[in-house]
Amino acid sequence: MWRALVAASAAPTRALLCRRAASLAVSPAAGPADEPVETRVAGLSPGQPVTLRAVTAGDRGCLFQSCAHYRANSRGQLHLGTDPSHGGDYTGVEPMGLFWSLAPAGMERPYQRLVPRSTGDPMKVEVLVHQGHSPPGTIPGPVVAKAEVERRFMAPGVRRIRLKEGVVRGSLFLPPGDGPFPGVIDMYGDEGGLVEFRSSLLASRGFAALSLPYFDFEDLPKVMKELKLEYFEEAARFLQRHPKVKGPGIGVIGTGKGAELALSMITFLPEVVAAVSISGCSSNTVAELHYGKMTLPGLRFDMNKVSVSDTGVFDIFEALDDPTNPANSPCTIPIEKAEGHFLLVVGEDDRMWKSSLYAELAIRRLRQHGKENFELLSYPGAGHRIDPPPTPFCHVAMDRVLGVPVLGGGESKAHAHAQEHSWGKIQEFLRLHLG
């Protein structure tokens, strides 16, 4: 009799011991930051609810996290490439949703961007599987499986060369091998400083990429009062003449103010034959642009047209002078003079400024002069800063110069999809026109 009682009480224990523990596989465990990963969970109970979380730390120690709710299939498995999220920070089938939805944790200062400052070190992301469905911002259930992923911004063999060539500053990224490679100058917006991660990713894809700051870096001017196109001309000539660069022409890619400068470079500099403008303006803005005896004045921001929400978020969408006003025509970049090709990339929900309108104005001007040397990528639901995937979406971001949160616009899923699609198209465009 006692043997039967012992056997009966031991049965649940044996069943627990025989049940396979949950496992999480994220592959590749270490790979390029702009490539998708495959995430699978096994060893769950059929229909078991779980929360998947991603956690990482930014360069300055800020903790970023994301979460999504899933249910195991009839085999106790999950595949983020085919199974939908039912809640959390995103819904639907989103293989990279845990990465592009990363946001500052609740105890951190809001509105921070997760942008790498050091391209040589991989970004380490911990992915965890928790029991049950835990809403964002709450304490999750017990961890049943976890894995660590490394997202690399430089492929093995890519070289980074800090540049001090005449007056030009920046970082040159060269792919492995003898080359020659198509050459691209890469610029960001009016936050200033040196932003390298897009250049390092371009080099990882076979481009010789020069990350070019134009103020607030080393001995460059601290503020953007005026700009001389000769600085950008010297950078273009340096890259064009580099022994690792294919030539005869080079490309330029820019975001925001950098996009506007890309338009000016392809307009006035014969070295530049392809320009990618991401969320740019078709007129010169803020700082005067000088080139020899020529001066393009800048459209101004009217701070009286800036609105501030109850939560202290600044909306500057209406603040820039109207480029269609005849009084502002001297600010227009005469892009019809360019012999090269344009790729205009815009988010239709950009709230930083009216980039969709500015792209329309650029296209209208080109067509008025009989030119069709452009492509337009216009993305519904995307905001201002369209970066390589899967850069986390940031609806509102702290402006580094102003020190206040500024509305960038966009919806997370649409913006993420725009980043993924445009990144491939940008590389296709540059290869087509740079050889």
Side-chain angles (χ1 to χ4, degrees):
M1 182 69 170
W2 63 270
R3 290 188 180 91
L5 290 173
V6 170
S9 63
T13 303
R14 283 199 301 269
L16 288 171
L17 291 173
C18 292
R19 180 181 294 173
R20 186 158 52 99
S23 63
L24 169 65
V26 185
S27 60
D34 58 346
E35 280 190 3
V37 297
E38 185 175 73
T39 305
R40 294 178 179 270
V41 184
L44 300 172
S45 301
Q48 180 178 345
V50 291
T51 296
L52 267 68
R53 291 175 66 231
V55 181
T56 190
D59 291 342
R60 295 179 176 175
C62 174
L63 185 69
F64 291 80
Q65 63 181 12
S66 62
C67 75
H69 301 160
Y70 289 90
R71 285 191 179 275
N73 62 19
S74 59
R75 298 183 299 278
Q77 299 172 347
L78 281 175
H79 180 206
L80 268 59
T82 57
D83 295 324
S85 165
H86 301 285
D89 291 319
Y90 62 90
T91 58
V93 178
E94 296 293 338
M96 294 300 292
L98 287 173
F99 292 84
W100 54 248
S101 63
L102 283 163
M107 76 289 288
E108 302 287 358
R109 287 189 301 110
Y111 311 134
Q112 297 186 68
R113 286 189 183 278
L114 182 57
V115 175
R117 294 184 179 274
S118 174
T119 56
D121 299 325
M123 180 184 293
K124 296 182 179 180
V125 182
E126 189 173 35
V127 182
L128 306 103
V129 183
H130 297 267
Q131 289 183 17
H133 287 165
S134 308
T138 63
I139 298 176
V143 175
V144 297
K146 62 181 179 178
E148 187 174 83
V149 186
E150 288 190 356
R151 308 292 287 164
R152 294 174 178 168
F153 292 89
M154 285 177 61
V158 169
R159 287 191 295 150
R160 174 182 178 269
I161 303 166
R162 181 54 66 84
L163 186 64
K164 266 196 172 182
E165 187 73 18
V167 299
V168 178
R169 302 292 178 262
S171 294
L172 176 63
F173 293 85
L174 294 174
D178 296 330
F181 309 103
V184 180
I185 290 176
D186 177 25
M187 299 175 293
Y188 269 87
D190 57 9
E191 65 268 29
L194 179 65
V195 183
E196 297 180 314
F197 76 102
R198 185 164 60 193
S199 296
S200 63
L201 289 173
L202 283 169
S204 301
R205 298 299 174 192
F207 296 91
L210 171 56
S211 179
L212 185 68
Y214 46 95
F215 77 100
D216 196 21
F217 180 72
E218 293 185 347
D219 55 353
L220 295 175
K222 294 301 292 181
V223 295
M224 191 176 60
K225 287 184 177 179
E226 61 177 10
L227 295 169
K228 297 183 183 297
L229 197 60
E230 285 84 356
Y231 171 79
F232 303 91
E233 183 176 47
E234 187 170 335
R237 288 176 176 173
F238 164 81
L239 189 62
Q240 182 195 40
R241 295 169 183 171
H242 195 282
K244 291 281 189 178
V245 173
K246 184 180 294 186
I250 64 165
V252 183
I253 179 172
T255 297
K257 179 66 181 180
E260 169 194 316
L261 289 166
L263 297 182
S264 291
M265 289 176 71
I266 194 173
T267 296
F268 296 110
L269 306 181
E271 295 85 359
V272 179
V273 299
V276 180
S277 167
I278 302 173
S279 306
C281 185
S282 52
S283 293
N284 188 53
T285 65
V286 184
E288 289 185 345
L289 180 65
H290 303 280
Y291 186 47
K293 296 181 179 180
M294 180 214 73
T295 296
L296 284 181
L299 297 176
R300 299 296 177 181
F301 281 92
D302 184 351
M303 298 309 291
N304 292 321
K305 295 181 179 179
V306 174
S307 62
V308 184
S309 72
D310 293 339
T311 57
V313 174
F314 282 60
D315 184 344
I316 64 174
F317 185 68
E318 297 288 349
L320 187 66
D321 287 344
D322 182 3
T324 64
N325 186 333
N328 294 323
S329 60
C331 303
T332 304
I333 303 168
I335 56 175
E336 71 277 3
K337 295 181 179 180
E339 296 298 328
H341 291 80
F342 300 89
L343 177 62
L344 308 175
V345 183
V346 297
E348 295 178 14
D349 194 30
D350 184 351
R351 293 292 303 179
M352 190 73 70
W353 61 10
K354 302 174 183 180
S355 56
S356 288
L357 169 64
Y358 306 150
E360 291 176 14
L361 295 175
I363 290 170
R364 188 185 309 166
R365 187 176 184 93
L366 290 171
R367 284 179 167 161
Q368 284 173 348
H369 290 82
K371 296 208 166 186
E372 294 288 336
N373 56 337
F374 65 87
E375 298 176 46
L376 172 65
L377 298 176
S378 184
Y379 295 101
H384 179 72
R385 187 155 161 168
I386 300 175
D387 279 327
T391 302
F393 170 70
C394 210
H395 185 69
V396 176
M398 189 65 66
D399 187 279
R400 198 173 73 89
V401 176
L402 299 176
V404 297
V406 176
L407 181 64
E411 182 276 322
S412 59
K413 187 182 296 190
H415 191 91
H417 293 175
Q419 290 190 148
E420 182 176 359
H421 182 264
S422 64
W423 185 233
K425 289 295 184 180
I426 287 167
Q427 294 175 67
E428 288 177 15
F429 171 83
L430 292 172
R431 288 195 177 94
L432 174 64
H433 296 293
L434 302 180

